Amino acid sequence: MAGAVVPAIRIQREDFDVAAEIAGLTKGRADIGAVVTFSGLCRDEQGTLSALELEHYPGMAEAEIGRIAAQAVERWPLQGLTVIHRHGKIRPGENIVLVVAASSHRQAAFEVANFLMDYLKSRAPFWKKEHLADGSEGGWVEAKEADDHAADRWKKPGE
């Protein structure tokens, strides 16, 4: 039933296990017919990046992601929702973010995963700093206009 789901939101330094997160959300649940996951990884940017450092304001990031997740629960019929975002220094190939959306049917799960990732990329309060493979410190990564446009497609009329 839409609205009854309480999203699990975690901001953490340590890595996460995608399969374990899916299993934790679905164990003993015969009402779930579809699980869609998005797992975002750190890229090496053609060998130029040694790490990406993510900073956030504790409390603010959880609240904002919780607000976005609550919108998803209101808009789509979900049986479960988990959002995990890491912070700290993350090396290429390591996990950064995970969205697990569970629903009775696939369409809602796909849409929720897309909705959350579009908002996480454009509006979640994280700051990214590049550490370059040559040992130098790169700059802060600017938000991309394309990410803002992607999030705008989810706005309701009048927003």
Side-chain angles (χ1 to χ4, degrees):
M1 167 165 67
V5 172
V6 176
I9 310 294
R10 296 198 320 264
I11 310 296
Q12 61 191 45
R13 184 174 297 277
E14 59 277 352
D15 199 4
F16 50 82
D17 180 326
V18 176
E21 295 298 333
I22 295 167
L25 188 62
T26 60
K27 185 175 181 172
R29 299 286 304 271
D31 59 329
I32 294 174
V35 174
V36 172
T37 63
F38 176 86
S39 177
L41 308 174
C42 180
R43 296 182 302 269
D44 71 356
E45 300 294 350
Q46 290 95 29
T48 63
L49 191 71
S50 69
L52 194 59
E53 189 169 356
L54 280 78
E55 294 185 6
H56 74 295
Y57 286 121
M60 178 193 280
E62 292 89 344
E64 181 61 14
I65 294 171
R67 186 185 67 75
I68 295 164
Q71 286 181 24
V73 169
E74 289 174 16
R75 290 175 73 169
W76 287 278
L78 291 176
Q79 271 66 46
L81 180 60
T82 299
V83 181
I84 303 171
H85 205 301
R86 291 183 61 204
H87 65 91
K89 196 176 274 191
I90 300 170
R91 306 264 176 225
E94 292 182 352
N95 292 312
I96 296 176
V97 64
L98 177 66
V99 173
V100 184
S103 186
S104 295
H105 302 283
R106 71 179 186 270
Q107 192 61 39
F110 275 115
E111 288 180 8
V112 166
N114 273 318
F115 170 79
L116 278 161
M117 282 312 307
D118 285 344
Y119 274 90
L120 288 172
K121 287 287 292 177
S122 63
R123 294 183 174 77
F126 288 90
W127 295 269
K128 300 175 187 176
K129 187 177 197 178
E130 294 179 328
H131 293 270
L132 303 179
D134 66 8
S136 65
E137 207 172 82
W140 293 97
V141 178
E142 294 291 324
K144 294 182 176 82
E145 191 174 330
D147 293 332
D148 286 332
H149 288 306
D152 286 345
R153 71 184 168 130
W154 299 105
K155 286 185 177 177
K156 293 180 181 178
E159 284 187 329

